[in-house]
């Protein structure tokens, strides 16, 4: 009953403003449902490579099916969180976001997205370093002694640290550029989402563009300045490869 009531536009706002109703997790958070959205995304990312090896599931149809089922559940929860966040930011409760409401929504999203990306970069690079270390140990054992093994491991560590620093530097610069050109970035994002060009954002439009790993999402991230065309192309190719694997 609480779940059904809290999902209605008028009642969920009153509940989210009540510390007793929502508990400490949503207290003092201007965009609690975006917090839920990124929490699901983080868990989905961790599920994709639990031991740091993104290729673990390839060649195992059963594990691939299980991974897809988990991902689908996360995406369902993410979509629900986006819809609740849309309603949370719909201050006048007219069922749409005008430019002022959308600016607040974009700003809250970018703040949490940047934090998520920073954490994701660290996690992915740490896992990549661990995988490289395992590979280096095997290579060192096959082609050389202890000295060779240490040398290969150090080279793997240095390469991972360099990639991590480069990725983090790029993210910081993009966030800096976003803050310096916030109004233009928000307008570009608004134009990407406002498909019917009526000057207001509808719930389905927002959900479609904010769900990850879609062409619409890539266009949105390009508009906000957190993705470039080449990265979007690579992401699209990886998405297609993943879809092909799921159909096997």
């Amino acid at each position: 009953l609480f779940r059904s009531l809290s999902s209605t536009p008028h009642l969920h706002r009153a509940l989210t403003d009540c510390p007793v109703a929502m508990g400490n997790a949503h207290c003092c958070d201007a965009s609690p449902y975006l917090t839920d959205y990124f929490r699901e995304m983080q868990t989905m990312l961790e599920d994709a490579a639990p031991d740091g090896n993104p290729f673990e599931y390839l060649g195992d149809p059963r594990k691939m099916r299980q991974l897809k089922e988990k991902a689908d559940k996360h995406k369902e929860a993410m979509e629900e969180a986006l819809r609740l966040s849309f309603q949370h930011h719909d201050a006048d409760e007219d069922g749409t976001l005008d430019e002022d409401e959308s600016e607040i929504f974009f700003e809250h999203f970018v703040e949490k997205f940047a934090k998520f990306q920073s954490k994701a970069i660290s996690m992915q690079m740490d896992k990549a370093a661990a995988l490289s270390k395992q590979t280096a140990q095997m290579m060192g054992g096959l082609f050389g002694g202890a000295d060779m093994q240490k040398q290969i491991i150090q080279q793997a560590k240095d390469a991972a640290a360099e990639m991590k620093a480069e990725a983090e530097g790029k993210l910081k610069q993009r966030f800096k550029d976003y803050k310096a050109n916030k109004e233009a970035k928000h307008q570009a994002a608004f134009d990407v989402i406002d498909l019917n060009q009526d000057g207001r954002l509808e719930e389905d439009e927002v959900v479609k563009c904010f769900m990850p790993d879609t062409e619409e999402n890539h266009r949105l991230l390009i508009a906000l300045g957190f993705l470039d065309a080449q990265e979007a192309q690579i992401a699209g190719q990886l998405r297609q490869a993943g879809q092909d694997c799921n159909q096997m």
Side-chain angles (χ1 to χ4, degrees):
L1 176 60
F2 177 84
R3 183 181 181 85
S4 63
L5 288 174
S6 62
S7 64
T8 62
H10 294 286
L11 289 177
H12 91 78
R13 182 173 290 106
L15 290 168
T16 55
D17 291 338
C18 174
V20 176
M22 295 308 297
N24 292 332
H26 280 185
C27 277
C28 305
D29 188 345
S31 51
Y33 297 112
L34 286 179
T35 298
D36 295 340
Y37 167 88
F38 282 110
R39 185 183 298 114
E40 289 291 338
M41 191 184 294
Q42 178 72 30
T43 306
M44 184 169 66
L45 184 64
E46 292 169 354
D47 287 345
D51 298 319
N53 184 359
F55 305 106
E56 177 186 349
Y57 296 111
L58 295 181
D60 190 329
R62 183 180 64 83
K63 285 187 176 182
M64 287 292 292
R65 285 194 300 271
Q66 291 176 342
L67 180 62
K68 184 178 183 304
E69 289 171 359
K70 284 185 177 181
D72 288 344
K73 289 181 180 179
H74 288 308
K75 288 178 181 179
E76 287 177 7
M78 289 165 66
E79 180 176 338
E80 180 182 4
L82 281 174
R83 293 189 182 279
L84 289 173
S85 188
F86 178 96
Q87 295 168 24
H88 184 75
H89 287 84
D90 180 17
D92 60 9
E93 299 180 349
D94 68 347
T96 64
L97 298 184
D98 58 27
E99 290 191 4
D100 290 338
E101 291 168 335
S102 69
E103 283 211 8
I104 297 173
F105 184 89
F106 293 151
E107 188 166 357
H108 288 164
F109 173 82
V110 169
E111 288 174 355
K112 293 185 184 295
F113 177 80
K115 291 178 181 178
F116 164 79
Q117 282 290 90
S118 179
K119 186 175 181 180
I121 288 170
S122 181
M123 184 189 75
Q124 289 176 325
M125 293 305 172
D126 288 346
K127 287 187 174 184
L131 183 61
S132 297
K133 182 179 179 179
Q134 293 175 5
T135 304
Q137 288 173 334
M138 181 183 69
M139 294 288 289
L142 290 174
F143 301 108
D147 290 341
M148 176 64 72
Q149 189 177 69
K150 288 180 180 179
Q151 182 180 349
I152 295 175
I153 291 174
Q154 188 59 50
Q155 289 175 346
K157 284 183 178 180
D158 292 343
E162 184 178 347
M163 288 189 294
K164 183 177 180 179
E166 181 181 351
E168 288 178 341
K170 181 183 289 187
L171 176 62
K172 288 179 181 178
Q173 185 59 49
R174 286 175 169 178
F175 188 63
K176 183 178 179 180
D177 292 343
Y178 162 80
K179 289 195 293 184
N181 302 278
K182 190 179 295 186
E183 185 175 340
K185 300 290 187 184
H186 288 176
Q187 185 60 57
F190 192 97
D191 292 341
V192 167
I193 301 172
D194 186 22
L195 299 178
N196 59 12
Q197 298 182 334
D198 64 352
R200 306 184 76 83
L201 303 185
E202 298 175 3
E203 186 174 315
D204 287 341
E205 290 177 330
V206 170
V207 170
K208 187 174 184 179
C209 287
F210 279 87
M211 286 299 289
D213 297 330
T214 64
E215 291 183 17
E216 292 83 3
N217 183 247
H218 294 162
R219 287 197 292 270
L220 173 69
L221 293 178
I222 289 173
L224 289 170
F226 287 89
L227 197 70
D228 60 34
Q230 183 179 12
E231 291 167 338
Q233 182 179 11
I234 294 172
Q237 292 171 348
L238 291 173
R239 182 180 66 251
Q240 184 60 53
Q243 292 173 350
D244 292 342
C245 286
N246 287 332
Q247 294 173 357
M248 292 175 62

